Amino acid sequence: MNLLQHINIDELDKLLSNKSLNDKDLPLPIFRQAATDKGIALTEDSNLPMKAFTNFQIRHFELSDSKKHLPSDTPIKKLLNPQADTSWLAYTSESKIDFDNPQVLKQLGATFDAEKNIIFNTYKLHPNTQSVSQALAKDLQSFVLILSKPQVLENLAIGEAVSMQVNGKISTSATVSWSDIFLGSLGNIANLLPPQQSLKLEIGTSVEADFAISIKDEFSLVIVKIAENQFRVSLKKAINQSFTANLSASIGVSIQNPALLTKALTPIIEGFFDLPESKLKQLGEKIKTDQWLDDAERKAVSMIITRLGLSQGVDIKQIPQQIEAKRKSILEIISQIAQTKVQANFAFEYQRLKTDDAFLQAVFTKQALAQNHANLVTFQLADLLANIANNQEVKVENYLHETKIQQRVSWGMGLDFGKWGRLAGKDNTSTEMAIRENIEQKKQVSFVGTRLYQSQEFKNKVNWGVNFKAQMPNFSFEKTPKAHEFEYGLQILWEQTENETTIEELQQIIDLAVLWGMIDESEFEKYSNDLFGVLENVKNISYSFQLNIEKEAFVLLLPVLSRKINVLIGRGLAGGMNFLSYFDSRKSVGKRAEMYAPLWRTYLEKYKENHDWAELASGYLKDKDADLARYEGAYQRNKTVGEYNLFEGLIYLNPSTATQVESFVAGAELLAKGIGSQLPYEQIVAPSFELMQQFWTQSHHIRSLGFYLLETARNPSINVFDKIGRTLTIKYQAGSEQKIIQLTQA
């Protein structure tokens, strides 16, 4: 495309007085052409028949000189490599596109908004000693745009680039396993059960759903020639032209084949009624036709009535109708859970992208670029991903925080040691801050702070961690965002793997499930026996306990967490002690919490004093449980006997427990103050995480933290227990198949 017919190079030459690119007094910009009534035709070397360039300027561009940068230059900064004695001329057009045929966008499948300005940039490399007029004449004679045909883009020199910024919508797809979807969300279905009833879901890893996902935002597409046969292509968030932007409102999610919901419905129905689907149908038919029910069938009907929350005196004829009504309710909830969960977790990953991070970045050969150019410039992401996923001519460098394109995903579905545990070492703290700006330099901030610990305990691997997130759903109205503009959440994970299990080890697992509200204590024996029957002879068992505290529950819990209430925290530390099957007072979460709470309260109040904690425990327990009192007193005689099970032993192993509790409370207090007083986020978000995570370093502390949070959530004045996701996921190998069991409580 020749632009010399639109720009008088002779007048420019006189104006610039034969200046070279290294002259310090070059005007900024070198040239600007105001909006014209008639656009410049791009048809001759573009795939899109249109006119543009209604507002055009030329700038001398150096990476080191930010004064010469425009907001639309942000995506290019990390992609251009400075070369000695060279710099770029940047050609920028901010245009409303005028299409010769208004239907062309639909025909091409383009997903950008042509009614809004599109910003084009072309960066041409020149020696600093070259005169400006010579450089301009060369560039304008055969001008290259990102919309130019691929064979024209090949004329770019190595180190040159083209870009476009649009307001548009990109679409992609993903396959997500239902076990990931239900992680932390199974309680939405369990809440249909009567109180203290648990829901057990058995589902295979192959049970999945396909989702179509779209996001509407400001995007930049950049193409840089990095070698003779290589182009780096980067799709990034752009500096947003809007003053406000609600991310969740911009993301659309739909299930691609709603009929496949029934794949997830069957195991849910079986878990809900604790009966096989075939048995439910058989009972329903017998009831409808007034057939005789034997004792086992009557017992099953009685259980169905209990699970439905009905009186045992209900007319049995109502049962089939009630089952069908519950089936419809569950199907609606499954659909809602799926779309809400995928939307929230995609948004979580998307918001972690900084302004200069790539959503998608890959190196294309010139042949691959030619094949995919149309999809790139029309932002047809789904087709593009399908074309390049296994293409040897394309090397994917980044796709939504991953280094390869994966159809099966688990975006932010939970705190995951595969995803978050990539730091070196076994005790890790990491923070991640992503900041995005709009055209007014107002910020939208995302913060994720993670504390992980990975260990080997005897023959088992045990990991635990806490993930604290603070994300702004909108751009701030002020230059510096305030703490109250964020939405906060907390995820707590305990993960344990075993090659095989024993009944004693399984009871430890069930105890933690009771502690973290995944099953009711009254069901301890039932699940110990039922699960041991399933897991007794299988291999490679993993248990994953997860608590998800999202924004609504977190904000109501925070006022209590920000106060050092020793009675409540002491009860949490008591409940978090290890399960011991040989003491009645230690094999029940409730009894354990009741028995040891006064001891831990005393410790929190008097930890600075010199006490014999074993003697204190033995004396206090003597009249309550003589055997347990003797066991606690044994620590005085032998400091190494089962110390991780003993009151003083835990104090000895974790000598900073009290100060770490105080640090956690101080962090919560700082966060509550920052939100209430609308303080700048830099003073609040990361510092509060640094304080709180001091209490997330020991296994006893993590167990206690989960119990403390749930006990607080049960308080009638707060009442958010049912809003906290509580899921135990058990994975095991049965022959050649991996199976999954998930548990939660109403």
Side-chain angles (χ1 to χ4, degrees), residues 486-502:
F486 288 74
E487 294 176 348
Y488 299 91
L490 207 61
Q491 292 175 305
I492 308 174
L493 179 74
W494 180 286
E495 188 177 89
Q496 187 166 320
T497 60
E498 303 172 347
N499 184 46
E500 55 190 17
T501 194
T502 65

Side-chain angles (χ1 to χ4, degrees), residues 295-554:
D295 289 345
E297 289 170 334
R298 288 182 178 278
K299 185 177 179 181
V301 170
S302 177
M303 184 172 63
I304 292 171
I305 290 171
T306 299
R307 304 287 278 184
L308 287 169
L310 302 174
S311 165
Q312 289 295 330
V314 68
D315 181 0
I316 196 172
K317 290 283 191 181
Q318 295 183 22
I319 300 302
Q321 184 180 348
Q322 291 284 343
I323 291 174
E324 189 57 35
K326 196 65 69 176
R327 185 191 300 272
K328 289 180 180 178
S329 297
I330 291 173
L331 186 61
E332 289 177 8
I333 292 173
I334 289 174
S335 178
Q336 184 180 19
I337 286 174
Q339 294 184 74
T340 302
K341 188 79 178 282
V342 172
Q343 181 191 49
N345 286 282
F346 181 86
F348 173 77
E349 297 290 352
Y350 186 77
Q351 200 161 355
R352 287 174 56 217
L353 292 170
K354 305 180 183 71
T355 301
D356 54 358
D357 284 345
F359 179 84
L360 169 67
Q361 186 164 295
V363 175
F364 289 67
T365 64
K366 65 181 181 182
Q367 181 179 353
L369 181 65
Q371 292 169 344
N372 292 283
H373 183 256
N375 284 332
L376 281 167
V377 299
T378 55
F379 291 81
Q380 292 295 303
L381 186 64
D383 292 342
L384 176 69
L385 294 177
N387 290 344
I388 70 175
N390 298 303
N391 190 333
Q392 298 300 311
E393 300 282 311
V394 180
K395 181 184 178 183
V396 176
E397 297 178 325
N398 185 39
Y399 174 56
L400 204 61
H401 305 291
E402 301 293 340
T403 56
K404 60 182 179 180
I405 295 168
Q406 301 182 83
Q407 183 67 13
R408 286 171 175 79
V409 299
S410 56
W411 296 308
M413 291 294 176
L415 181 55
D416 176 85
F417 282 89
K419 180 181 294 183
W420 299 103
R422 292 173 183 158
L423 300 169
K426 66 177 185 177
D427 186 4
N428 310 295
T429 304
S430 68
T431 59
E432 181 183 87
M433 184 85 74
I435 301 174
R436 190 182 185 193
E437 293 185 348
N438 65 10
I439 196 68
E440 286 196 330
Q441 296 185 308
K442 302 294 175 59
K443 294 181 175 66
Q444 186 180 37
V445 182
S446 171
F447 174 87
V448 180
T450 306
R451 181 70 188 248
L452 299 177
Y453 186 86
Q454 305 178 58
S455 71
Q456 184 87 26
E457 294 189 1
F458 302 107
K459 63 179 180 178
N460 303 327
K461 290 181 180 178
V462 179
N463 308 319
W464 64 80
V466 183
N467 185 30
F468 171 70
K469 61 181 180 180
Q471 295 185 315
M472 296 176 63
N474 303 302
F475 285 101
S476 178
F477 286 102
E478 303 181 56
K479 186 173 183 181
T480 300
K482 302 297 192 292
H484 73 283
E485 297 180 273
F486 288 74
E487 294 176 348
Y488 299 91
L490 207 61
Q491 292 175 305
I492 308 174
L493 179 74
W494 180 286
E495 188 177 89
Q496 187 166 320
T497 60
E498 303 172 347
N499 184 46
E500 55 190 17
T501 194
T502 65
I503 187 64
E504 291 79 13
E505 289 171 329
L506 189 57
Q507 285 176 337
Q508 298 275 357
I509 294 295
I510 301 301
D511 180 75
L512 182 52
V514 172
L515 188 75
W516 280 10
M518 292 151 188
I519 65 174
D520 189 74
E521 188 146 39
S522 63
E523 299 180 299
F524 183 94
E525 291 298 331
K526 173 186 182 314
Y527 279 109
S528 295
N529 296 329
D530 288 355
L531 290 176
F532 188 64
V534 174
L535 304 174
E536 182 179 9
N537 297 310
V538 302
K539 302 290 185 182
N540 303 325
I541 310 166
S542 72
Y543 307 95
S544 177
F545 302 80
Q546 185 164 308
L547 298 178
N548 289 337
I549 303 173
E550 298 298 340
K551 55 186 180 182
E552 183 181 347
F554 187 88

